[in-house]
Amino acid sequence: MSTVERPRPDLSHTDQASADQADPGPVELHARNVAFDWDDVPLHWIPGHPVASNFISVLNLLLPEGERWFVQTYNEALPLVADEELASRMRGFIGQEAMHAEAHDHVLWEFLDHHGIDPRPYQLQMEWVFRRVLGPATSGPPQARHKHLIERLWLIAALEHYTAVLGDFALNNNWIETGAHPTMADLFMWHGAEEVEHRAVAHDVAAYFGDSYLRRGRAMLAVLPMLLFLIQRGYRFIMKQDTSVSYNYIQKKWQFHRGVRANVLPPLRSIVFSTFSYFRPGFRPEQIGSTAQAVAYLAKSPAARNAA
């Protein structure tokens, strides 16, 4: 991940100074019981960018089952952790990921389904991936089941690398300047801030169970193509059902690049290239994003401030 400073339009000048200069130190992770009202949010929630809006909305299809899989796997691993400090961070991680799953699940039925995008077929596929293919091993000797758990923990660590990268993008894009609907922007910025806030947990948990450069690399080589495939599949799924636009292939590509240039979409190339940092022997997840910036946003997020 590049360390080049970028404009951070989502923060005020005061917040920006805090994000750049003040290290908040260790942050206690906890779930925020957020709620969102989707009644007046248009399908194309980034004005003038229907492709960008739909592409970001794909995450609402992908995330609920993926986040539930995180929670299930960590609940399986938690009783095996003797390090109380790490166990505490895991409990905070579990609470946040469970809330992420719930929040995005509401989007499926109160936003996408409401706008004529039927999420059911894609959701059934996600259930198969995360419950059947990536679910816990239920047979075989204990040693084999434990090894299977370690492999899943490293898969989560690899996925969390990308959620941290995307979380950093959510905090450093031009949605607000472009006039994006504040509810959807806050959903992804709140989620992105929490991903940055807990970005080191998955890596530390996987290393606790079996620190291995081979396992780390093998998991990443499996995760990257899977993630790109599922995102592209979800994007085609939404675009096919969105009858309000009728772009051909070239027009879709052009609209996507418009979104990247406008900084309302992350360039896929930069996400792929961020993989290289993960393979550095001295890599630490804290090298991605800014904890101070994440904490600053969570302090002013409308949903987080209203959380019970």
Side-chain angles (χ1 to χ4, degrees):
M1 186 72 180
S2 173
T3 58
V4 176
E5 289 295 320
R6 303 184 303 280
R8 293 177 175 173
D10 58 292
L11 297 174
S12 68
H13 293 302
T14 301
D15 289 336
Q16 180 62 59
S18 298
D20 288 339
Q21 298 175 13
D23 180 358
V27 176
E28 182 178 351
L29 302 177
H30 65 277
R32 298 166 176 88
N33 189 23
V34 299
F36 301 90
D37 183 357
W38 301 108
D39 286 346
D40 67 340
V41 183
L43 181 62
H44 303 148
W45 53 276
I46 306 174
H49 290 275
V51 165
S53 299
N54 286 348
F55 194 87
I56 298 294
S57 290
V58 169
L59 294 175
N60 294 307
L61 291 169
L62 177 62
L63 288 171
E65 282 299 318
E67 309 271 17
R68 291 188 189 104
W69 174 65
F70 288 2
V71 171
Q72 178 192 44
T73 306
Y74 269 50
N75 279 329
E76 181 184 349
L78 186 57
L80 305 176
V81 176
D83 183 334
E84 180 51 39
E85 190 275 333
L86 181 60
S88 176
R89 293 168 64 207
M90 289 176 70
R91 286 189 286 269
F93 179 94
I94 289 169
Q96 290 187 343
E97 296 293 359
M99 193 66 238
H100 296 169
E102 181 179 339
H104 289 283
D105 206 43
H106 280 289
V107 183
L108 293 182
W109 312 111
E110 298 170 18
F111 174 72
L112 288 176
D113 195 47
H114 173 75
H115 284 293
I117 309 297
D118 180 10
R120 293 163 185 84
Y122 193 89
Q123 281 305 103
L124 288 173
Q125 295 172 23
M126 293 304 96
E127 287 182 13
W128 182 80
V129 169
F130 289 106
R131 299 185 188 187
R132 297 288 297 276
V133 177
L134 297 176
T138 56
S139 61
Q143 184 177 4
R145 293 200 301 271
H146 186 74
K147 181 179 178 181
H148 189 261
L149 171 62
I150 296 174
E151 296 298 335
R152 282 180 285 135
L153 291 172
W154 275 112
L155 288 174
I156 292 174
L159 282 166
E160 282 288 298
H161 175 73
Y162 293 115
T163 60
V165 171
L166 291 173
D168 187 43
F169 169 79
L171 293 172
N172 294 291
N173 59 51
N174 287 346
W175 290 339
I176 302 302
E177 285 72 10
T178 310
H181 195 284
T183 300
M184 189 66 82
D186 187 38
L187 168 73
F188 284 113
M189 293 168 75
W190 154 75
H191 187 161
E194 290 198 344
E195 291 297 335
V196 172
E197 188 181 42
H198 70 222
R199 63 197 180 282
V201 175
H203 181 87
D204 291 345
V205 170
Y208 176 87
F209 276 83
D211 195 1
S212 164
Y213 189 80
L214 177 61
R215 278 182 173 141
R216 179 176 16 152
R218 186 168 58 204
M220 178 57 76
L221 291 176
V223 159
L224 179 58
M226 179 185 75
L227 185 62
L228 292 176
F229 173 77
L230 292 178
I231 289 175
Q232 286 291 339
R233 186 175 180 84
Y235 169 64
R236 290 194 298 269
F237 180 83
I238 290 182
M239 290 300 293
K240 185 176 181 180
Q241 293 194 62
D242 183 0
T243 58
S244 66
V245 293
S246 56
Y247 295 137
N248 59 35
Y249 175 79
I250 294 176
Q251 289 171 323
K252 289 176 186 176
K253 294 287 287 185
W254 169 249
Q255 291 294 328
F256 185 91
H257 289 299
R258 275 190 66 237
V260 171
R261 287 199 304 273
N263 196 32
V264 297
L265 271 179
L268 290 181
R269 181 173 57 186
S270 70
I271 294 175
V272 173
F273 283 168
S274 75
T275 307
F276 294 116
S277 67
Y278 189 79
F279 284 101
R280 289 201 308 266
F283 168 78
R284 284 293 305 166
E286 292 89 347
Q287 295 164 2
I288 301 169
S290 163
T291 301
Q293 184 187 20
V295 170
Y297 183 77
L298 290 169
K300 72 171 190 173
S301 158
R305 286 172 63 90
N306 291 331

